[in-house]
Amino acid sequence: MSRLNEDNVRIALETIARYPKARSAMIPLLHLAQQQDGYVTNEAMAHIGELVGATSAEVFGTATFYEMFKFKPVGKYLINICATMSCALMGAEQLMHHAERRLGIKAGATTPDGLFTLEHAECQAACTEAPTLQANYRYRFHVTPATFDALIDDLANGRLDAEIPPHGTVARIRQRIPADRVVGPRSPDDVTTAPEWMAVAPTASGGGQ
Amino acid sequence: MTTTETNTDPEALEPVVDPNAVSIVINGRQVTARKGDLIIKAAEDNGEYIPRFCYHERMSPVGMCRMCLVEVDTGRGPQLMPSCMFAVSPDMKVMTNSPIAKAAQEGVIELLLANHPLDCPVCDKGGECPLQDQSVSHGPGESRYIEEKRHFEKPIPISELVFLDRERCILCDRCTRFADEVAGDALIHFTHRGNLTQINTFPGEPFASYFSGNTVQICPVGALTAKSYRFKARPWDLEQAESTCTTCSVGCRITVQSSRDELVRYQGVDSDPVNWGWLCDRGRFNFESVGSGDRLTVPLVLTSSGHEPTSWNSALGSAARLIKDAITAGGANSIAVLGGARGTNEDAFAWARLAHDVIGTPNVSAQLADGLPIGLLALNRATIDEAASAATVILIAPDLKEELPVLYLRLRDAAEKHRSRIIEFTPKASGISRYAWRTVFYEPGTQAGAVATALGQADIAEQIAKGTVVIVAGRANLAESSAPTVAALLALTEALPQATVLPALRRGNVVGATQVGLRPGRGGLASLGILDAAASGKIECLILLGADPLGDVPDADLARRALAGARRIISIDTFLTGSSALADVVLPAAAYAEKSGTTTNLEGRVTRVAQKVTVAGTARPDWMIATELAQRLGAGLGFRSDSDITAAITEHVGGFEGVTAAVLDANPNGVIALAPNIDAINEPMVTLGDRNAYDYRLIVSRKLYDKAIVTTKSPSLAPLAGTSAVYVNPLDVTRIGSAVGAEVKVSSARATVILPLATDPSVQRGTAWVPFNQPGANIGELIDAAASVTDVRIESL
Amino acid sequence: MTVTTYSHTPGFYTGDRPQIVTSRFQYEDSYTLDRYLATDGYKGLRAALALSPTEVHDEVTKATVLGRGGAGFPAGVKWGLTPQAVWPRYLVVNGDESEPGTYKDRLLMERDPHQLIEGCLIACYAAGLSQCFLYIRGEMALAQERVAIALNEAYAAGYIGTCILGSKFSVDIVLHWGAGAYVVGEETALIESLEGNRGLPRLKPPFFPAAIGLYGKPTIVNNVETLANLAWLLRHGADEYTKIGTATSPGTRMVAVSGHVKRPGVFEIVNGTTTFRDLIYNEEFCGGIRDDHELKAFVPGGGSAPWFTPDQLDLPFEGRLVGAAGSMLGSGAIMVMDHTTDIPAAALTLARFYANESCGKCTPCREGGTWLMRILQRVVAGFGTHRDLDQLFEVGQTICPGAFPHAASERLGLEAVPFPYKMTTICFVGPSAYVPVHSALTLFRDEFEAKIVKRTFIPVTAIPVTGSAVTALPATADSVEAVGVGQ
């Protein structure tokens, strides 16, 4: 249970600085908190509230709306098996049955060794590759019981460490905006005129009013 | 349009067209609405009620519950629209009960009831429940839902005062909108999603808002219930009377509700010029003290073995004798009357007559050495509405959120909606600092200088020039005398002669009591003078009219010495307080809601207060006690009822000429009465001495919840008082050499108290803040009422 | 026919059709700046900067680039809807692709992020948008990484930021990502989410983003595929663009065909001319139904679209015609069901999706969507009654009063009811929950009837929590205390 550490506070402040209003950084900061601890702790939510100028209740309200955020520890690997139509048509249910048997847990639970959490997921936007799953949001397509078992073995043995980071980390690459290139946000209340390049032609007229 | 003699065309006589009128058709009937009105309101104003849950007139519309769907035709065919989200437009056709609209409304009711537990028989809201009522009036009459309902843990406390039953909640966003939009305390929020959406607090962080009770009142179902009312009564058993809250001087309109002659609840009434329906929790829940078992119910007289109950006849006889003896011993001037701010105008008038005319003493004050000179009331006065619509509001006042909470809401609203800009002068951040355009921090005692400097700044001068200016004036610091505040106020009014002033004196009827006569007569002493005189043995008889100097006077030593120095004390009170425990005669007074009459708020607005329950025991209203005492002193006041006195006030008090019973009945929101004959405020003397080794200048101010008797005798509120501590700037902590939380010695030239050390970044370096009258050490021991400021030393133990 | 597949974009096939947005998909390194620059990258931006913003805007308007997100509103017209003289204006890129059956934006972000960035820049330049927020769905880790790399490269190379390519044009593109909520794909919910709030849709009107959007300012919300078209358009001009496709639907569009076909895939097709039969049966596309089974039904435009049956196979993939036939093209996703499909169970997967993804803001969707799902769960599990089937329609009517769109059916003698519907909800998620139920029950009522077993009572506890194929209950949000909804 912890607040954001020093490195992450630096990233948080950098992220906040990109938005015209600090509160816009709330979801990226929640991801950051989840990356740090594997799930979003109460302390981190309170800390994020301080950073973006919201009450803890507001942070909690936003965080619980989004299903990627977890509020208690989950396994090192979160296995999301898609259950929406295209995958269902191609045997997602049978895959889930197999997964439950293989891992010895029901959907929604975590294996006793803390390695795997199994969940039903809704459409993962890979419908032509059904049935699909995501392990920590990395795709696996046309999953069969055999490839599922192989995936679990590989994950358990660390053979996929290069591709699949532990739960909490989604994108491993962050946007960097170089200081000499950045335009920088301005408070929406401070801007009242058209941007400079529009000055010659004040309002685009195509189809406009 | 005007007619001239030559114009005989009857067409020309048509009435003037109101530019704000919009003609629309509702259910086939042509009606006139106001421009900008939402359809739902325009319909209601024209006698067509559209059912609703999320819509609330005092909050921004969200269109979530979908109950108010109607068909609207703006020329493109009928569309199903939420009537709370759209303003009327000319010739709009609205169908509130067409088959499609009815089907939509019935559908929404059925869907809302799908997961709503039908536990109406055991629900507090049953009988006054909008969901229940509208299910009958606009619902399908039966439910086809046979699935299992949603389950949540049954009521969870979300604060000390409020319980939440998420199963009953219909997710209308009223409470959460109120918390965020009106109170500015977004401590409850929607959490989770979809069918699992619920209202909740952050884990471990309760809905500790001073305004939480309002959410109970506006909840359209029984999801939010007040701890103090749960299972106490059924709505159909309630009796009610409209009244005005006198907890503080804002004067919120309320209905006082009772069941079986016991107060069970206050509800806010939407009074447009004052409280907009909102109440603070202290005002809402302190009704509990009225029914407290600790109330004084019989008169007490001091005997050698302590207080003994006695009859009214003997107690009044004793009191009259004490007064007569005092006159004999020291003349009428040796008698003083302190208090009266908690009673009605009628109480105050009767006591003023008794004091000034019958006894003949000029030593009368409704304040307790913690306000401002009453000359404040002689300044050009502003109303709350004027303050909340002024271009600039200047605050030289206590923390309004703590002392006048609903005034805080009104000013916060003005700032949030960009009507007003607030310039705040304060020794430390207040509740309203977040919303202030400028917050000027000053060191206690130097506010006049801070005002002068600020007024000289170009941006502030530019802002002030933008329009009307209202100054809200009150005493921000009890460790100061009133002089520095008065100096700053006079600096402001001299620099801004057009500005008007809203007095921020806090006790319920302090303005009314002062205006009708509970103020010093010619050559008379004000509260501080009375206390000083008593302390030096010059007061033969001190009459405490609902006043508790030991609890309320900032200078604790002075209060103690005054009560010890007064030869005799007569106390008229509802409880045996620290001060009345020292009285020779204690007369039990009728409490709020046990007597009727009128009250005056800080604007000078006179409204009615109502009696709803029978008095506790044999207690009597203050005015009746005054009348009886006058009789025993040989001069009948001639009052037989409070309405006699209301009439007498109209007749005798300047400024009250129009405030007749008939006018008050016709204007439940009250009428403004300003007494014209109050002496102007005197130029004060501010003396700031050397600090020497006392390196922190002290700020002492009130919190909403403290050891006030009415709070401590209300079981719901009593636990809310915090604990005393000394707050310094975090940067000063190392200098003190103690850890935060550790006990430290706080000493002034006069005394030392031990308090835990705490930090608050808004406390300026070199100052220290201690909340007043909290459980724990009494900071009043350090305060010298005669000094302009109080400097202290803070040392580790 | 050339067929290229990649491990990270399996199933992508391309034929000899025009390629506006997928031209680089054939390269393994298509997402790099080097490859992009080697294949005409950022030439569209240079072409745009050579014109005035007004001229660029006119070009886009002339080309009638229809929005690819679902509503099909022309981008040029959308840009022109911002109120006069109100600044600043923002661009929000909707990369929160989650509509069941749909995936094209993910590929466009993973495989050609620079093309999207170039489109963003052109849009900002033309419409005077002073900051761009690129909102990518939270679960798309690879897309987020690829776009982040591309943004970093483009910033370093001077394509984004201050004084782009030496001009006066300066704009930041900020990568933002979501955290799992389908409803955030709705543009006003997207804006709420970008403001750090719960993704609750706002009522339109009055909250049309072009007028009152991000931070209350005019905001253009464009879909990824829409913006991906702009680089090509500016390189070749509106005249070339409108030569492809039909007059009302020019250009190409991406279509994903999934379900029971031989070769499911994502295709860039010529707008307006390709028919559903082409897509499902042509060798160039999916090559027919798996195992040569019979086609039973298909969803023509993502999970929110009313279903078609073989009766509609010869309709071209064109918005207006499909609308008149009782459905919509939506986000360009076809889901195919063969004759072995358990229709009630299939409908349940979609009904459950929408019930699960309801934001909970308005009553009909929050309560009605779940009610539909619960009834359907009982019916599919064999515990339904005949009354339940009528009840499904009745609950649907509270979400969508009046006639509901459906396709014509020769077999049932049904006339088509055209799209769209009336609704009591704020956004389309509520009606979407009713879509599959209504379509399935209207077109295949016999299959529902067959599941009804005469029972005198409903053993609630006997309903399986997870069970036979396509009846599983959803993974609910992480609610500890909530019980009774599928736990």
Side-chain angles (χ1 to χ4, degrees):
Chain A
M1 304 292 267
S2 59
R3 291 159 65 89
L4 294 181
N5 63 34
E6 221 171 276
D7 283 348
N8 285 335
V9 168
R10 192 178 42 73
I11 295 173
L13 294 175
E14 227 177 87
T15 307
I16 290 169
R18 288 181 189 162
Y19 296 92
K21 293 197 174 177
R23 195 176 165 128
S24 281
M26 199 186 290
I27 291 172
L29 264 48
L30 285 162
H31 275 298
L32 190 62
Q34 182 147 293
Q35 177 166 343
Q36 175 180 295
D37 298 319
Y39 68 106
V40 183
T41 67
N42 286 352
E43 286 78 2
M45 281 189 277
H47 193 185
I48 290 169
E50 293 164 23
L51 289 167
V52 304
T55 64
S56 308
E58 289 174 303
V59 179
F60 189 56
T62 295
T64 51
F65 186 83
Y66 299 94
E67 61 218 21
M68 284 176 76
F69 296 127
K70 310 295 177 193
F71 304 97
K72 47 185 200 260
V74 293
K76 183 179 180 189
Y77 298 105
L78 175 65
I79 310 291
N80 282 318
I81 296 184
C82 178
T84 316
M85 189 171 190
S86 297
C87 288
L89 289 173
M90 301 302 283
E93 205 55 45
Q94 291 84 336
L95 175 61
M96 179 53 92
H97 275 294
H98 173 79
E100 288 181 340
R101 270 197 310 275
R102 169 68 173 77
L103 295 172
I105 51 172
K106 285 288 178 190
T110 301
T111 55
D113 59 7
L115 266 187
F116 299 101
T117 296
L118 184 64
E119 282 188 0
H120 279 281
E122 296 293 4
C123 187
Q124 296 178 334
C127 311
T128 66
E129 318 310 315
T132 68
L133 65 76
Q134 286 186 326
N136 289 350
Y137 306 106
R138 267 68 186 175
Y139 284 102
R140 287 297 180 269
F141 296 141
H142 302 294
V143 185
T144 62
T147 57
F148 181 85
D149 290 350
L151 171 69
I152 295 301
D153 289 339
D154 286 349
L155 287 170
N157 294 322
R159 284 194 290 267
L160 291 171
D161 284 359
E163 187 204 342
I164 304 183
H167 180 258
T169 301
V170 187
R172 287 160 303 183
I173 292 153
R174 291 187 177 280
Q175 184 182 10
R176 285 187 313 274
I177 303 184
D180 61 331
R181 296 289 312 142
V182 68
V183 182
R186 288 174 64 196
S187 161
D189 306 320
D190 294 347
V191 182
T192 51
T193 53
E196 204 188 348
W197 73 90
M198 299 295 284
V200 249
T203 310
S205 63
Q209 359 180 296
Chain B
M1 182 162 290
T2 55
T3 53
T4 63
E5 285 168 37
T6 52
N7 190 345
T8 51
D9 181 359
E11 294 280 343
L13 294 169
E14 75 186 44
V16 175
V17 178
D18 179 354
N20 281 322
V22 178
S23 174
I24 62 170
V25 178
I26 298 180
N27 296 340
R29 197 158 54 87
Q30 181 106 21
V31 300
T32 305
R34 308 284 301 169
K35 193 173 166 182
D37 269 359
L38 296 169
I39 296 171
I40 193 168
K41 180 165 191 313
E44 190 172 7
D45 290 348
N46 284 290
E48 298 286 351
Y49 180 84
I50 300 173
R52 79 286 301 261
F53 294 106
C54 66
Y55 171 74
H56 189 283
E57 213 178 325
R58 293 291 182 188
M59 299 192 287
S60 59
V62 284
M64 283 174 68
C65 74
R66 317 303 284 175
M67 190 64 226
C68 70
L69 286 168
V70 294
E71 280 200 292
V72 178
D73 188 348
T74 51
R76 292 180 303 165
Q79 307 276 328
L80 208 47
M81 288 161 110
S83 56
C84 71
M85 288 296 286
F86 295 94
V88 292
S89 61
D91 302 322
M92 168 184 265
K93 290 188 184 61
V94 178
M95 286 139 284
T96 68
N97 50 17
S98 65
I100 292 259
K102 268 180 77 91
Q105 291 163 9
E106 287 182 3
V108 171
I109 288 275
E110 185 176 21
L111 291 172
L112 285 174
L113 291 175
N115 275 298
H116 187 82
L118 297 176
D119 58 352
C120 309
V122 294
C123 175
D124 278 341
K125 204 80 176 186
E128 56 174 14
C129 173
L131 181 58
Q132 215 175 31
D133 295 347
Q134 294 180 125
S135 292
V136 173
S137 61
H138 293 85
E142 61 170 337
S143 175
R144 297 165 292 187
Y145 189 81
I146 55 165
E147 320 301 325
E148 194 179 347
K149 295 190 186 234
R150 206 161 37 215
H151 294 302
F152 287 108
E153 188 190 330
K154 273 290 192 180
I156 51 171
I158 56 169
S159 76
E160 291 280 347
L161 301 169
V162 179
F163 282 84
L164 167 65
D165 182 332
R166 290 163 294 175
E167 291 186 347
R168 291 178 186 161
C169 175
I170 59 165
L171 303 168
C172 69
D173 198 23
R174 276 189 177 190
C175 59
T176 40
R177 244 182 311 159
F178 172 85
D180 181 26
E181 208 175 288
V182 180
D185 301 321
L187 299 171
I188 45 171
H189 208 280
F190 282 126
T191 70
H192 302 82
R193 191 177 74 202
N195 208 266
L196 298 176
T197 307
Q198 49 174 288
I199 302 289
N200 218 327
T201 60
F202 186 69
E205 221 181 273
F207 180 38
S209 169
Y210 286 170
F211 305 97
S212 66
N214 293 295
T215 62
V216 176
Q217 186 175 340
I218 61 177
C219 180
V221 293
L224 291 165
T225 46
K227 189 173 159 189
S228 60
Y229 180 74
R230 287 170 60 78
F231 309 121
K232 287 277 165 63
R234 306 311 319 242
W236 50 86
D237 290 334
L238 293 179
E239 291 177 23
Q240 66 175 40
E242 196 169 321
S243 191
T244 297
C245 176
T246 58
T247 305
C248 76
S249 62
V250 173
C252 299
R253 290 294 283 172
I254 58 172
T255 51
V256 176
Q257 300 181 333
S258 67
S259 171
R260 285 170 296 179
D261 203 27
E262 216 178 280
L263 291 184
V264 290
R265 187 169 72 172
Y266 296 162
Q267 298 278 65
V269 170
D270 192 333
S271 167
D272 194 60
V274 183
N275 60 313
W276 290 6
W278 312 130
L279 300 178
C280 71
D281 286 352
R282 182 177 174 181
R284 182 183 296 272
F285 295 116
N286 68 16
F287 72 86
E288 290 178 331
S289 67
V290 174
S292 166
D294 296 340
R295 280 285 301 282
L296 285 170
T297 52
V298 289
L300 305 172
V301 290
L302 194 61
T303 67
S304 52
S305 56
H307 278 132
E308 292 288 346
T310 184
S311 70
W312 270 98
N313 195 28
S314 109
L316 286 167
S318 302
R321 203 165 44 248
L322 291 181
I323 294 170
K324 280 184 199 155
D325 290 351
I327 296 174
T328 312
N333 281 13
S334 72
I335 297 174
V337 178
L338 263 187
R342 295 222 173 81
T344 60
N345 289 334
E346 288 68 21
D347 290 335
F349 186 72
W351 271 94
R353 291 290 298 275
L354 173 65
H356 290 300
D357 302 347
V358 178
I359 299 173
T361 176
N363 302 325
V364 177
S365 175
Q367 299 199 71
L368 285 171
D370 59 350
L372 291 179
I374 56 168
L376 174 66
L377 303 179
L379 297 166
N380 282 334
R381 301 267 291 274
T383 63
I384 294 173
D385 266 352
E386 283 162 4
S389 60
T392 308
V393 183
I394 300 178
L395 299 181
I396 178 106
D399 189 334
L400 299 181
K401 191 174 182 179
E402 305 289 346
E403 298 205 1
L404 302 165
V406 174
L407 177 60
Y408 158 80
L409 290 188
R410 291 292 311 272
L411 292 181
R412 179 189 175 277
D413 179 78
E416 285 283 276
K417 306 254 170 76
H418 306 292
R419 286 194 306 272
S420 308
R421 278 182 167 171
I422 296 173
I423 301 173
E424 181 194 29
F425 294 94
T426 182
K428 66 172 276 292
S430 73
I432 213 159
S433 299
R434 272 168 73 190
Y435 310 101
W437 176 68
R438 290 282 186 283
T439 296
V440 180
F441 292 107
Y442 62 80
E443 186 169 86
T446 66
Q447 45 268 63
V451 164
T453 310
L455 291 179
Q457 283 166 11
D459 57 342
I460 289 184
E462 191 188 323
Q463 171 58 32
I464 284 171
K466 280 184 180 165
T468 53
V469 179
V470 171
I471 302 163
V472 181
R475 179 120 157 235
N477 183 0
L478 300 175
E480 273 175 11
S481 70
S482 64
T485 304
V486 172
L489 176 61
L490 292 181
L492 276 169
T493 50
E494 270 158 36
L496 310 169
Q498 306 300 320
T500 50
V501 177
L502 184 63
L505 302 176
R506 63 182 270 282
R507 277 188 199 87
N509 194 25
V510 65
V511 172
T514 304
Q515 291 198 150
V516 301
L518 278 183
R519 61 176 189 264
R522 191 159 300 278
L525 300 169
S527 54
L528 191 56
I530 291 171
L531 292 165
D532 276 335
S536 49
K538 293 178 192 148
I539 297 296
E540 291 289 329
C541 181
L542 177 63
I543 302 174
L544 300 176
L545 190 54
D548 176 17
L550 289 180
D552 278 330
V553 171
D555 183 337
D557 186 55
L558 173 63
R560 219 167 18 235
R561 285 186 294 115
L563 293 181
R567 255 176 74 76
R568 298 291 189 184
I569 300 174
I570 301 170
S571 170
I572 296 98
D573 216 326
T574 51
F575 288 95
L576 199 61
T577 64
S579 303
S580 51
L582 303 173
D584 299 271
V585 178
V586 182
L587 301 173
Y592 182 78
E594 291 177 345
K595 58 187 174 186
S596 51
T598 62
T599 188
T600 309
N601 80 347
L602 44 74
E603 305 167 282
R605 180 181 305 281
V606 182
T607 50
R608 279 201 184 282
V609 293
Q611 178 182 2
K612 189 68 229 71
V613 290
T614 314
V615 287
T618 67
R620 297 180 180 184
D622 296 1
W623 68 263
M624 201 183 279
I625 297 169
T627 311
E628 299 246 12
L629 279 175
Q631 212 137 33
R632 281 163 205 266
L633 294 170
L637 296 177
F639 304 140
R640 277 158 309 159
S641 67
D642 59 274
S643 40
D644 284 354
I645 311 177
T646 313
I649 293 173
T650 311
E651 194 178 329
H652 298 294
V653 181
F656 280 72
E657 295 83 1
V659 192
T660 61
V663 168
L664 288 172
D665 287 339
N667 297 284
N669 288 338
V671 284
I672 303 276
L674 302 177
N677 54 348
I678 291 175
D679 295 336
I681 209 158
N682 291 324
E683 196 69 47
M685 188 68 122
V686 181
T687 325
L688 302 178
D690 266 347
R691 288 204 188 183
N692 299 326
Y694 297 99
D695 36 13
Y696 294 89
R697 188 149 283 172
L698 190 61
I699 305 160
V700 173
S701 64
R702 292 182 189 270
K703 303 275 288 171
L704 185 65
Y705 301 119
D706 59 11
K707 290 193 298 179
I709 193 83
V710 169
T711 301
T712 50
K713 298 299 179 187
S714 299
S716 298
L717 298 178
L720 297 174
T723 50
S724 206
V726 56
Y727 293 80
V728 297
N729 187 286
L731 297 173
D732 279 341
V733 171
T734 42
R735 194 149 69 106
I736 293 163
S738 265
V740 171
E743 296 202 311
V744 292
K745 270 194 330 193
V746 182
S747 331
S748 72
R750 177 181 275 187
T752 295
V753 294
I754 309 289
L755 285 168
L757 182 65
T759 61
D760 178 340
S762 90
V763 173
Q764 305 299 296
R765 294 201 67 177
T767 65
W769 170 58
V770 181
F772 188 63
N773 201 21
Q774 299 291 314
N778 182 3
I779 192 65
E781 300 292 350
L782 270 53
I783 297 171
D784 178 357
S788 290
V789 293
T790 306
D791 291 328
V792 297
R793 201 161 51 216
I794 305 176
E795 297 156 304
S796 55
L797 276 178
Chain C
M1 189 181 86
T2 49
V3 175
T4 319
T5 66
Y6 300 109
S7 58
H8 44 265
T9 59
F12 180 77
Y13 301 85
T14 178
D16 297 327
R17 299 178 300 277
Q19 292 181 320
I20 290 180
V21 294
T22 62
S23 63
R24 291 179 198 86
F25 280 30
Q26 56 187 302
Y27 304 108
E28 192 71 55
D29 61 350
S30 61
Y31 52 88
T32 63
L33 181 61
D34 287 346
R35 171 61 68 191
Y36 194 64
L37 292 176
T39 50
D40 297 331
Y42 290 109
K43 283 191 182 162
L45 173 64
R46 287 178 194 278
L49 292 179
L51 303 172
S52 75
T54 314
E55 287 165 332
V56 177
H57 191 165
D58 288 344
E59 199 69 12
V60 175
T61 308
K62 205 165 105 192
T64 321
V65 183
L66 299 183
R68 266 44 169 200
F73 195 73
V77 178
K78 199 181 216 179
W79 298 355
L81 290 178
T82 49
Q84 291 274 12
V86 180
W87 308 95
R89 300 171 185 172
Y90 297 107
L91 175 63
V92 176
V93 184
N94 189 345
D96 192 65
E97 175 174 69
S98 338
E99 181 70 22
T102 311
Y103 87 96
K104 58 192 181 62
D105 297 341
R106 178 167 71 79
L107 288 188
L108 289 169
M109 292 187 284
E110 287 176 0
R111 296 296 303 160
D112 203 347
H114 283 287
Q115 176 175 258
L116 170 62
I117 292 169
E118 192 174 352
C120 295
L121 294 168
I122 292 168
C124 288
Y125 178 71
L129 314 175
S130 54
Q131 200 172 1
C132 170
F133 299 92
L134 215 166
Y135 193 118
I136 302 182
R137 181 173 169 186
E139 292 95 330
M140 294 179 176
L142 183 62
Q144 290 166 21
E145 291 181 353
R146 289 269 168 87
V147 173
I149 294 170
L151 285 169
N152 291 346
E153 285 176 326
Y155 258 108
Y159 293 106
I160 320 176
T162 53
C163 302
I164 293 167
L165 300 176
S167 70
K168 281 184 172 176
F169 175 46
S170 299
V171 73
D172 278 329
I173 299 179
V174 175
L175 175 59
H176 187 95
W177 55 103
Y182 161 79
V183 67
V184 166
E186 199 280 337
E187 57 180 0
T188 57
L190 187 75
I191 287 170
E192 282 286 337
S193 180
L194 188 51
E195 289 181 0
N197 300 326
R198 299 160 60 77
L200 307 181
R202 302 170 176 171
L203 195 67
K204 294 188 290 189
F207 294 104
F208 283 114
I212 312 169
L214 187 62
Y215 313 126
K217 301 294 178 186
T219 302
I220 303 298
V221 183
N222 275 148
N223 170 261
V224 166
E225 187 191 345
T226 315
L227 291 165
N229 272 276
L230 300 184
W232 193 99
L233 168 61
L234 265 288
R235 267 199 328 269
H236 297 88
D239 293 338
E240 286 300 310
Y241 189 86
T242 49
K243 278 182 193 163
I244 302 167
T246 63
T248 49
S249 303
T252 62
R253 72 175 293 170
M254 305 263 291
V255 181
V257 189
S258 61
H260 297 151
V261 287
K262 283 184 179 158
R263 287 192 308 272
V266 182
F267 314 99
E268 181 170 7
I269 64 166
V270 172
N271 230 346
T273 55
T274 318
T275 65
F276 291 106
R277 188 183 297 283
D278 294 339
L279 282 164
I280 294 171
Y281 287 98
N282 269 11
E283 279 305 315
E284 190 188 349
F285 298 107
C286 295
I289 308 293
R290 66 167 181 184
D291 303 331
D292 291 323
H293 282 174
E294 268 173 49
L295 172 65
K296 193 171 195 176
F298 60 99
V299 184
S304 308
W307 297 6
F308 280 165
T309 56
D311 290 13
Q312 283 80 29
L313 269 178
D314 292 314
L315 274 173
F317 197 82
E318 205 277 334
R320 294 176 191 207
L321 295 172
V322 168
S327 189
M328 64 163 185
L329 286 191
S331 48
I334 299 170
M335 289 183 279
V336 177
M337 291 166 265
D338 73 8
H339 74 265
T340 67
T341 307
D342 179 341
I343 290 284
L348 175 57
T349 68
L350 284 178
R352 188 204 57 212
F353 175 88
Y354 290 105
N356 237 2
E357 295 294 343
S358 165
C359 75
K361 182 173 181 179
C362 67
T363 309
C365 174
R366 179 183 69 236
E367 305 295 342
T370 306
W371 193 358
L372 286 173
M373 174 189 82
R374 308 266 310 256
I375 298 173
L376 205 48
Q377 276 172 340
R378 265 190 303 110
V379 171
V380 169
F383 296 106
T385 64
H386 293 285
R387 177 79 194 95
D388 282 330
L389 302 187
D390 296 331
Q391 183 70 52
L392 287 169
F393 283 127
E394 288 164 13
V395 175
Q397 282 289 310
T398 64
I399 304 172
C400 293
F404 197 78
H406 63 74
S409 169
E410 220 171 284
R411 181 172 59 94
L412 300 169
L414 283 176
E415 293 264 326
V417 174
F419 202 78
Y421 34 68
K422 274 187 198 285
M423 59 197 216
T424 59
T425 54
I426 295 171
C427 80
F428 58 85
V429 175
S432 295
Y434 184 39
V435 161
V437 178
H438 182 273
S439 287
L441 198 51
T442 305
L443 299 170
F444 302 97
R445 183 159 179 132
D446 51 334
E447 289 200 32
F448 288 84
E449 302 276 358
K451 287 195 183 284
I452 304 295
V453 185
K454 275 204 183 343
R455 283 175 196 277
T456 51
F457 69 99
I458 298 154
V460 174
T461 49
I463 298 173
V465 174
T466 59
S468 52
V470 281
T471 61
L473 287 181
T476 53
D478 222 40
S479 172
V480 205
E481 296 146 48
V483 289
V485 180
Q487 295 216 349

